[in-house]
Amino acid sequence: GNSVTQMEGPVTLSEEAFLTINCTYTATGYPSLFWYVQYPGEGLQLLLKATKADDKGSNKGFEATYRKETTSFHLEKGSVQVSDSAVYFCALRSAGNNRKLIWGLGTSLAVNP
Amino acid sequence: SAVISQKPSRDICQRGTSLTIQCQVDSQVTMMFWYRQQPGQSLTLIATANQGSEATYESGFVIDKFPISRPNLTFSTLTVSNMSPEDSSIYLCSVDLMVEAFFGQGTRLTVV
């Protein structure tokens, strides 16, 4: 079945450091891929998405590229800020009839000044 | 996009009681989803609520414990029945628009 494997946290970085959070997936066909973010005390919100191979999603300085050959959708940011401290979830939605969202376990990021 | 209002935002409840969580969407949607997010864990889908038919429950969740109503295309409720401390969690309402999922702010439930 479909699955998402996400880098375990917590991740602690200093401000302006480079961030990578790894995400790989297992799915048939061409799923849509997502990164959601949950800031402290807030609900989940979409950070970025990619719906086909080689697409790059980007938002708020974050980027992730849909890599079909490596079944990956790693999240990156060149220079993190304290305000990026949050929990990040990788997710996929399959292309077939069963279009449920499949979630990774989440990665907690803490950015220190 | 979709704006989802969920209430209550948090509650502390006695074991053995029930809590009903409401979810209101600012547009008509076919399906509404209810998730549970236990402390430090990912999201687990409880059920899918369709207007005019019974909700579809995921493995491990049953209607007697989590009854759901869906009276129209913009509103749903989830009841957590006969609560125990193990039900302490964040409960989230969600809708899909195209490929994107939108979420309510969540209900943080603590059972004592």
Side-chain angles (χ1 to χ4, degrees):
Chain A
N2 297 339
S3 66
V4 173
T5 302
Q6 188 175 339
M7 183 172 116
E8 284 188 31
V11 174
T12 302
L13 296 174
S14 298
E15 207 164 22
E16 299 182 2
F18 184 85
L19 168 71
T20 299
I21 301 177
N22 290 338
C23 173
T24 57
Y25 67 90
T26 302
T28 55
Y30 293 86
S32 296
L33 302 173
F34 307 85
W35 278 100
Y36 280 83
V37 60
Q38 188 173 37
Y39 297 103
E42 298 186 17
L44 274 165
Q45 53 187 280
L46 179 68
L47 179 60
L48 53 84
K49 67 182 179 189
T51 57
K52 60 182 187 295
D54 300 325
D55 267 2
K56 178 186 285 188
S58 60
N59 186 23
K60 300 181 180 180
F62 290 89
E63 292 183 341
T65 301
Y66 188 145
R67 302 281 188 202
K68 182 69 174 174
E69 64 276 14
T70 54
T71 61
S72 65
F73 193 55
H74 305 321
L75 183 68
E76 297 182 334
K77 185 173 185 180
S79 176
V80 293
Q81 306 300 310
V82 173
S83 58
D84 294 325
S85 299
V87 181
Y88 294 82
F89 292 92
C90 185
L92 76 79
R93 189 189 298 278
S94 70
N97 291 330
N98 184 353
R99 295 179 54 76
K100 294 177 191 174
L101 274 169
I102 308 298
W103 296 87
L105 292 178
T107 303
S108 175
L109 169 66
V111 180
N112 298 319
Chain B
S1 66
V3 177
I4 302 174
S5 301
Q6 190 175 333
K7 59 182 181 182
S9 58
R10 59 178 62 233
D11 207 343
I12 301 173
C13 300
Q14 297 292 322
R15 68 179 67 199
T17 64
S18 298
L19 175 71
T20 295
I21 302 167
Q22 298 180 4
C23 179
Q24 178 77 51
V25 188
D26 68 343
S27 56
Q28 294 184 338
V29 292
T30 305
M31 293 189 287
M32 297 176 74
F33 304 90
W34 288 98
Y35 286 89
R36 183 172 72 185
Q37 185 181 16
Q38 293 183 302
Q41 297 189 25
S42 188
L43 279 73
T44 303
L45 182 63
I46 297 171
T48 302
N50 300 298
Q51 194 269 335
S53 64
E54 209 166 86
T56 303
Y57 289 83
E58 298 299 304
S59 176
F61 298 96
V62 295
I63 188 171
D64 288 348
K65 176 67 175 177
F66 296 101
I68 286 171
S69 78
R70 184 77 201 276
N72 58 53
L73 290 173
T74 63
F75 187 79
S76 178
T77 67
L78 170 76
T79 299
V80 186
S81 303
N82 188 23
M83 288 184 283
S84 67
E86 292 71 34
D87 294 320
S88 297
S89 187
I90 298 173
Y91 293 84
L92 294 160
C93 171
S94 174
V95 302
D96 286 349
L97 286 182
M98 304 299 285
V99 295
E100 186 174 340
F102 295 86
F103 291 85
Q105 293 288 86
T107 297
R108 184 178 295 271
L109 170 63
T110 303
V111 184
V112 297

